[in-house]
Amino acid sequence: MKGNKYWKKVVMLLFIVAVACLPFSSEEKDLFVVASDELAEGTSNQSLDDKIDQLLEDERLDGAMTGVSIRKASDGELLYSHDGDIRLHPASNQKILTAISALRTLGADYRFTTEVLTDGKLEGKVLQGNLYVKGKGDPTLLKEDFDQFANELKEQGIHKIKGNLVGDDSWYDDVRLSTDLNWDDEFNYTAAQISALTISPNTDYDAGTVIVEVYPGKKAGDLPVVKLTPETDYLTIVNKAETVAKGESKSISIDREHGTNKFIIEGKIPVDGSLSRAWRAVWEPTGYALDVFKKSLEEQGIELIGNSQVTLGTTPNEATVLTSKQSMTLEELLIPFMKLSNNGHGEVLVKEMGQFVHGEGSWSKGLEVMEEVLANNGLSMNSILLRDGAGMSHKNLIPADQVTKLLFEVQDESWFPVFENSLPVAGEPDRFVGGTLRNRMTGDSTKGNVKAKTGSLTGVNTLSGYVTSKDGEKLIFSIMMNNYITGSMTQIQDTIATTLAEHEFE
């Protein structure tokens, strides 16, 4: 394709030179000038092709597969396509599809709900009956929310509970991990398990994870101090690390034994060393959230008495709501989801769409909803394979031309400003504005101009979104690089986006 464009222009230029040497009448020369101008204009219009073609000749792309698609945002005209019809892995560009599907299905004002209920009655200061915490998918619950639940129960006069504390996560199915997730990713916060009842350690809202911090002991030979956020007894800490003398090197590892909540701390940390911190996924997060809530109850002086147990179960239909909380809106949730590329949010949204449309909070039903949304936007579904909502699967497939088509089609939706605002913005240092692009494309032509979703997996790097050219033409682009082994793909992507930002069509 690149060669055809090159030789076409060579032939045109040779034609102009050859004809100019021939004896023409003045009238014929005027016609030739007009024709030459038209050819020159055509050559100028193709200069964008030349620029991108040249960038794609980078030796770092040798042996890799690269799809590039560029459209006008005004009318969807396909300006450039290099292998744009080839199915490629999107990595976290998959989140574009999930966010659009969620906005179309749930709406920008959608909120998740968490309820605290009972099947018993309050007698004096004792709740005679079970206390249920029914999760409905909210990935933004924090320790302070469980504190608020406990405070409200105390204000209602509850000081003791003669019944079980029950965690209800039945809003979704019990499949915790998305299809194709690698087993050795499971301890990482980017691969946290999905539950309808969960908790996040901070306002990045990495639900189902815990922050583990390791501090040096007071003197050499002491065990380092391990701190968890939020504090919980749900995990077992095996501290094999050692505090060493001042000035020695630090080498701390924080791992979770596969299939358990046994966290292994190993290595050395000097007395004067800085802390080591890691976000780690928790095995079976429903029990984790329930343990944190139990601590909140205890901090308010609310006791479980008798033979009360902490367990999992399903809330009876006749149970009474004692207190509840609604999450932030989907519009607000899309900021950490898209800006910080939060994988857990992608999978929660898939399950929530399945529950909302089909009454089943599963990946299969949620992906059905996504497929319908994409088809309704005119995408060719026989060229697309959806396996999850976050893009962790190496089996997700979509051509670059289909990504740009979707980004064009949704511009007329009432919620489009919400979607566009959720995209990372190049060069903007605020994490909740620039997101994963905050340290990229900081030049004058791109800073604040390129709004795009990043994506990265082993051998996969992608970037898709919007940019306005130097002469004011808003463009849609998708750059999908697959099957490379070494080299900086982001650098090539940034150069392509910068080329679009600095291009003049007139």
Side-chain angles (χ1 to χ4, degrees):
M1 183 177 180
K2 290 188 287 184
N4 289 340
K5 292 177 183 176
Y6 172 78
W7 287 111
K8 183 177 179 181
K9 283 183 282 187
V10 169
V11 170
M12 286 193 296
L13 291 171
L14 288 174
F15 171 76
I16 292 171
V17 172
V19 175
C21 295
L22 296 176
F24 282 133
S25 67
S26 59
E27 183 178 341
E28 289 171 328
K29 287 182 178 179
D30 288 341
L31 290 174
F32 172 71
V33 169
V34 172
S36 298
D37 289 342
E38 290 177 351
L39 286 171
E41 183 180 352
T43 303
S44 175
N45 287 339
Q46 292 173 357
S47 64
L48 178 62
D49 292 11
D50 292 340
K51 294 174 184 177
I52 306 301
D53 286 346
Q54 184 175 359
L55 293 173
L56 294 181
E57 290 173 0
D58 193 298
E59 63 181 12
R60 287 172 290 185
L61 295 174
D62 290 349
M65 179 67 73
T66 302
V68 179
S69 179
I70 303 168
R71 295 180 189 270
K72 283 186 178 181
S74 57
D75 58 11
E77 177 189 351
L78 189 61
L79 298 175
Y80 179 90
S81 181
H82 173 87
D83 286 339
D85 59 346
I86 301 298
R87 300 181 189 95
L88 296 171
H89 305 307
S92 282
N93 275 201
Q94 183 84 350
K95 293 181 173 73
I96 292 173
L97 282 61
T98 304
I100 287 171
S101 298
L103 284 167
R104 176 67 181 84
T105 303
L106 305 173
D109 295 329
Y110 190 81
R111 297 175 188 266
F112 298 86
T113 303
T114 307
E115 298 172 332
V116 179
L117 313 92
T118 186
D119 57 4
K121 293 183 178 180
L122 183 62
E123 296 181 2
K125 295 183 178 182
V126 180
L127 179 64
Q128 300 282 351
N130 296 329
L131 186 68
Y132 299 88
V133 189
K134 184 174 180 61
K136 294 184 178 180
D138 185 359
T140 69
L141 284 173
L142 301 169
K143 170 65 164 66
E144 63 194 51
D145 295 314
F146 288 106
D147 290 344
Q148 182 62 30
F149 287 153
N151 183 65
E152 290 175 2
L153 293 177
K154 186 174 182 179
E155 288 180 349
Q156 293 177 32
I158 299 173
H159 289 254
K160 300 179 187 295
I161 300 171
K162 193 173 184 179
N164 295 330
L165 177 59
V166 184
D168 182 353
D169 62 14
S170 61
W171 189 249
Y172 298 155
D173 64 10
D174 59 0
V175 180
R176 297 297 189 213
L177 296 168
S178 60
T179 304
D180 311 319
L181 192 71
N182 294 330
W183 74 268
D184 55 351
D185 278 332
E186 291 180 14
F187 81 102
N188 218 323
Y189 80 99
T190 56
Q193 296 186 10
I194 305 304
S195 168
L197 178 58
T198 189
I199 186 172
S200 295
N202 64 10
T203 53
D204 281 4
Y205 302 118
D206 293 301
T209 72
V210 63
I211 299 174
V212 184
E213 294 176 330
V214 181
Y215 297 82
K218 292 183 178 180
K219 63 182 186 300
D222 286 353
L223 281 175
V225 177
V226 179
K227 177 184 176 183
L228 302 178
T229 303
E231 292 184 8
T232 177
D233 297 323
Y234 194 64
L235 315 179
T236 299
I237 302 298
V238 180
N239 190 352
K240 298 181 179 180
E242 179 186 2
T243 303
V244 294
K246 179 179 179 180
E248 291 194 34
S249 60
K250 184 176 75 170
S251 59
I252 292 291
S253 65
I254 303 171
D255 295 314
R256 195 199 76 201
E257 188 177 279
H258 187 259
T260 74
N261 278 317
K262 183 183 290 185
F263 285 69
I264 313 296
I265 316 297
E266 294 181 304
K268 298 178 179 180
I269 185 169
V271 171
D272 60 338
S274 59
L275 69 91
S276 289
R277 178 188 292 121
W279 278 252
R280 291 290 179 253
V282 174
W283 192 264
E284 288 296 338
T286 302
Y288 170 41
L290 201 58
D291 180 74
V292 173
F293 182 43
K294 180 174 179 288
K295 283 189 174 299
S296 295
L297 293 171
E298 291 169 348
E299 288 163 7
Q300 289 293 331
I302 300 176
E303 299 178 72
L304 297 176
I305 62 174
N307 296 318
S308 300
Q309 297 179 344
V310 178
T311 185
L312 305 183
T314 303
T315 307
N317 293 332
E318 65 275 11
T320 302
V321 176
L322 298 176
T323 183
S324 65
K325 177 184 182 292
Q326 286 197 318
S327 73
M328 63 179 65
T329 63
L330 178 59
E331 176 178 355
E332 295 169 295
L333 181 66
L334 287 185
I335 299 301
F337 173 40
M338 297 289 278
K339 302 282 190 184
L340 306 183
S341 205
N342 189 307
N343 289 338
H345 296 175
E347 308 310 347
V348 163
L349 289 173
V350 170
K351 289 200 174 193
E352 191 67 12
M353 286 187 277
Q355 176 62 249
F356 185 81
V357 176
H358 298 291
E360 179 182 308
S362 66
W363 268 288
S364 60
K365 289 301 182 182
L367 292 175
E368 280 184 26
V369 176
M370 286 182 61
E371 288 170 358
E372 184 176 351
V373 170
L374 299 179
N376 287 340
N377 277 285
L379 270 62
S380 176
M381 297 310 296
N382 60 3
S383 66
I384 297 171
L385 179 62
L386 305 180
R387 301 283 286 189
D388 65 18
M392 287 284 280
S393 172
H394 279 271
K395 294 183 180 179
N396 289 314
L397 291 169
I398 186 170
D401 282 348
Q402 294 294 299
V403 176
T404 58
K405 180 175 176 58
L406 178 63
L407 291 173
F408 167 72
E409 294 292 341
V410 299
Q411 291 178 110
D412 292 332
E413 297 284 356
S414 61
W415 42 258
F416 175 72
V418 172
F419 169 74
E420 188 175 33
N421 184 58
S422 75
L423 295 171
V425 183
E428 296 293 344
D430 188 321
R431 291 176 72 241
F432 289 97
V433 179
T436 53
L437 284 181
R438 62 189 179 277
N439 297 319
R440 291 172 59 178
M441 294 178 279
T442 57
D444 292 342
S445 65
T446 50
K447 181 179 179 180
N449 182 16
V450 177
K451 300 176 181 179
K453 185 70 195 74
T454 57
S456 181
L457 287 172
T458 302
V460 179
N461 207 271
T462 56
L463 184 70
S464 301
Y466 304 90
V467 60
T468 300
S469 69
K470 189 174 183 179
D471 55 2
E473 184 78 56
K474 187 176 182 180
L475 304 173
I476 301 169
F477 68 91
S478 179
I479 308 166
M480 304 177 69
M481 297 164 168
N482 282 200
N483 303 326
Y484 65 90
I485 296 177
T486 59
S488 173
M489 299 301 108
T490 57
Q491 185 182 70
I492 301 173
Q493 292 170 0
D494 292 357
T495 304
I496 293 174
T498 301
T499 298
L500 296 178
E502 296 177 352
H503 185 74
E504 291 185 86
F505 287 91
E506 299 175 352

